[in-house]
Amino acid sequence: MSHHIVSVQDLRFRYPDGALALDGVSFTLHHGESVGLVGANGAGKSTLLHHLAGVLLPQAGAVRVGDWPVTRSTLSQVRRSIGMVFQDADDQLFMPTIEEDVAFGPRNLGLPEPEVNERVADALARVGAAHLRKRASHRLSGGEKRAAAIAAVLAMGPSVLVMDEPSSNLDPAARRALIGQLRAFEHTRIVASHDLDLVLDVCERTIVLAEGKVVADGATRELLADDALLARARLERPLRLQGCPRCAAARVRA
Amino acid sequence: MSRIDAALAHLGSLDELAARDTPAARLDARAKVVATVAFVAVVASFGRLELFRLAPLALYPLALAALGDVPFRPLALRIALASPFALGVAALEPFLDRVTVFVLGGHAVTGGVLAFATILAKFALSLGAALVLVATTGFDAVCAALERLGAPRVLVAQLALTYRYLFVLADEAARTVRGYELRAPAGRPDLRTATALIGQLLVRALARAERVHAAMRCRGFDGRLRLRRSARPGGHDLAFALGVAALLVVARAVDVPRVLEGVLTGRGG
Amino acid sequence: MSDALVSPAVGGALWAAAAGTCAVAARRVERHGDERLVPLMGVLGAFVFACQMVNFAIPGTGSSGHLGGGLLLSILLGPDAALLALTSVLLVQALFFADGGLLALGCNVVNLGLFTSYLAYPLVFRPIAGAAPSRRRLIAACLAAGVVGLQLGAFGVVLETWASGISSLPFRSFVMLMLPIHLAIGVVEGVATAAVVLVVRRARPELAACAAGGGPRSLRSLRPVVVGLALAAVFTGGVGSWFASSRPDGLEWATAHAAQGEVAAQGGLHDVLARAQRAVALLPDYDFRAAAASEESAAPPRPAWPAPRVGTSVSGLLGAALTLALVALAIGGLRLLRRKSRPTR
């Protein structure tokens, strides 16, 4: 297995209604990296993530996941490596109970039932949701649903985690728990988020998208303090990097 | 609208009850489903005026509920709340059939009243059995059982997904209507407004269906929804099945109340 | 169609018909449908359920109604998938909301699902709408299909009620009442369906193909109808005759009423109207205030009824009470046992 877990080369994509979503995006994710993906609404973050998971196929350029190029014929292999957590947890929890949802992936992989059960228990434990096993999804809070969705993805044993706005609709406590989980994962992960403080906490590298193009790709702490860059991308500094109101000194946690 | 909200809330809580570890929950789901279907069929097979012969059948839903630690009062409330809407025409029976059937404590009981009571009893028994089934089995297990029992795969997948998204879409509908109400004169929307609202709901539903499909494919979906495979039936399940079968056969074949009465009056003198 | 109106024989026969039709539809969907259909069917089933919660005022009358959704499903999913989706909605409604009843479920699937998906949609909607209907054509097609579908459904209710022999509503009056009412309801359903399809078409033009096509096409789609009706006929013939012989009361009433033919009376008509309205489980929220008011004010002369068999009823009462007492005892004991063995919190 190559060390370049995910590589994207000159990716272009235009939606059926004519909107140009991605205009030549290129980058490479390395094994074990934790990368943030930031940008304004409509910059192309979700579209890019969908390409990584094979939900959309490139119209020009190429996406490689491990040894596989992402094409129609390699989709099943790609999906074993990539675990995507969608923005709306309700779209991802479609079985009557959490247990069935988390078991959905392993069952589709054709695993025997005892192993399916093991994976379900393991995945739920990793997100701290073991007590939700028998619950019905529509009765859960936003944070619980998010945790369950993550467990459902983890149960497939992916090597790369792709997350689209994971902290949206979470209350502060749930958000803090999520940050803890993300920091604990060893997977290669790419997290698209408006929550720049989360990105600062969780990702050492950040890619900035604007109008379908990569405008910056580097260390999170530097990028998110570059005011000119942020302004071009319609972003702001995360709260923690904004000046203290009293002494105007930037507060950066060690 | 509020009736449906309340019903949905109760339905949701039924699943929660099934998640606990009770003797009823441990029974094989297929056995419970078959038992419930047979039960409803037997209840339906009784005649228009055969109120009293229904009495022994109350044992099945009540026993299953007791074994499943299902609280009786919310269940009874649910049935009571649902009954006016289900009875419809039956409510007129007392007015239609005025022929006296028997006299009770000085009051004449007409066929109409008896028929009405019979319909009420049948309804309570059937709905009760269905609710207890979900409360002790959980909807997902019921779907899995249906599939194992031979129901078409697509229909079972359909049931599971519809059930799952019922609550989500009903919430959306409620919010949309509320959004309308807050900006509208009192009363219901006219046809044009309503179809606009429904159209929006539909567009959103279609978009959601696409996202769900994407999520399913990301987790390896290939067109076939795989549900849990239950363990092989054990001794308890067999005992349960035999017990229910015995109850149904006896209740149908023998006029139990009459027999009991014969015993009582025989003894009494 | 509600449980109160249908006899076990008719209910059972229609159940068999509905089950057979669903099995055929399911097999066709599994063989021809693509995998997108599964989540789409599920979500749209939930959608139909939810949109039945949106009540609107019907212009001209004082009543309200809601979209049934059968025709809409057929347009979006194709007849086979639409039948299955609608069946799942009816099943959930019958099981948990007591809308319609479990015994009458087969009847409802046939009246609301089968007639719309396999008769109104392919025979009325598709020919009028064609491949890519203009706005006018779409409205005309929906209108026609809505009316036809609901007329067939209403007629189905009348036939099933009459065959069951439980209610005292005379056939002719029932028909004369149900069909005109459902003509109006069909118009509303057709117009509403067309309006919704137009909204979707404008918002998501790539689904325009769906609006006209909706899945694999073949006019051999009539086969499920034939299968279903054949099953119903066989079942009714076999089971129905067995029931008829053991339950003379049902036939007694039917013949007695055919002989009397009394409902020409003014009061009787209102009475029948109110009863019919309440029997229309097709649209439970339609309320006809005028009818209700006149029902209260009229004093209809009641026809004489044939006497049911009296003998057995009285002696059952005491025994039933005794039975219930025994049951209560048993249940009480069970709960006590459970409470003892439950782990304390």
Side-chain angles (χ1 to χ4, degrees), chain A residues 55 60 110 126 151 226 238 249:
Chain A
V55 176
R126 286 173 71 177
D226 182 342

Side-chain angles (χ1 to χ4, degrees), chain B residues 7 23 44-45 48 52 69 72 92 96 101-102 127 134 152 154 158 166 188-189 191 210 213 217 257 261, chain C residues 8 30 35 41 49 57 64 88 95-97 204 247 253 275 305 310 313-315 317-319 335 338 342:
Chain B
S45 72
R48 181 176 166 265
F52 305 127
D69 292 341
F72 284 173
L92 293 154
L96 297 178
V101 167
F102 59 85
L127 184 61
V134 177
V154 182
Q158 170 65 28
L166 206 51
R188 305 211 154 99
L191 190 61
E210 275 187 12
H213 180 237
R217 285 188 31 224
E261 210 170 83
Chain C
E30 278 167 26
E35 54 162 53
M41 282 164 62
F49 197 97
S64 68
S88 69
L95 270 182
F96 305 118
F97 302 94
R204 301 285 302 273
R247 296 202 192 278
W253 300 342
R275 274 186 264 154
W305 275 59
V310 177
S313 312
V314 193
S315 54
L317 179 58
L318 203 58
R335 294 188 75 178
R338 275 300 303 154
R342 235 190 313 217

Side-chain angles (χ1 to χ4, degrees), chain C residues 46 173 248:
Chain C
S173 323

Side-chain angles (χ1 to χ4, degrees), chain B:
Chain B
M1 195 77 135
S2 54
R3 159 172 99 89
I4 299 191
D5 282 344
L8 277 177
H10 184 255
L11 179 58
S13 65
L14 279 182
D15 255 345
E16 304 275 288
L17 292 174
R20 301 166 309 168
D21 185 26
T22 60
R26 279 179 246 135
L27 286 171
D28 190 296
R30 286 167 292 174
K32 283 182 277 187
V33 169
V34 172
T36 306
V37 170
F39 178 80
V40 171
V42 169
V43 166
S45 72
F46 281 99
R48 181 176 166 265
L49 297 176
E50 296 186 288
L51 173 66
F52 305 127
R53 290 194 60 182
L54 291 172
L57 288 173
L59 188 61
Y60 169 66
L62 289 176
L64 196 58
L67 286 173
D69 292 341
V70 178
F72 284 173
R73 190 171 303 169
L75 206 63
L77 199 64
R78 183 82 217 99
I79 296 176
L81 283 175
S83 40
F85 299 98
L87 293 177
V89 173
L92 293 154
E93 288 291 336
F95 302 104
L96 297 178
D97 182 354
R98 296 266 181 83
V99 179
T100 302
V101 167
F102 59 85
V103 177
L104 178 63
H107 294 281
V109 177
T110 66
V113 170
L114 199 59
F116 177 65
T118 308
I119 292 178
L120 201 64
K122 283 186 179 181
F123 164 74
L125 284 172
S126 305
L127 184 61
L131 292 176
V132 170
L133 174 65
V134 177
T136 56
T137 317
F139 200 80
D140 61 323
V142 170
C143 287
L146 286 173
E147 189 181 352
R148 300 286 308 276
L149 289 169
R153 248 190 304 128
V154 182
L155 187 58
V156 174
Q158 170 65 28
L159 264 179
L161 286 172
T162 296
Y163 180 75
R164 165 68 185 98
Y165 284 105
L166 206 51
F167 305 91
V168 177
L169 294 197
D171 266 347
E172 255 187 63
R175 268 181 280 131
T176 306
V177 173
R178 207 174 311 142
Y180 160 81
E181 282 169 353
L182 290 175
R183 288 185 296 164
R188 305 211 154 99
D190 63 8
L191 190 61
R192 172 164 292 172
T193 314
T195 52
L197 292 175
I198 295 173
Q200 275 311 305
L201 285 174
L202 182 54
V203 170
R204 289 208 287 262
L206 290 169
R208 181 181 289 280
E210 275 187 12
R211 295 196 303 267
V212 170
H213 180 237
M216 289 174 111
R217 285 188 31 224
C218 280
R219 307 225 297 273
F221 181 62
D222 59 359
R224 197 186 145 171
L225 202 73
R226 288 172 179 77
L227 296 169
R228 129 176 34 160
R229 275 164 269 155
S230 43
R232 314 184 72 214
H236 285 145
D237 306 313
L238 199 60
F240 168 73
L242 288 176
V244 175
L247 174 68
L248 293 179
V249 166
V250 167
R252 194 68 195 88
V254 175
D255 190 342
V256 174
R258 281 246 269 160
V259 166
L260 278 177
E261 210 170 83
V263 168
L264 190 70
T265 50
R267 222 183 274 156

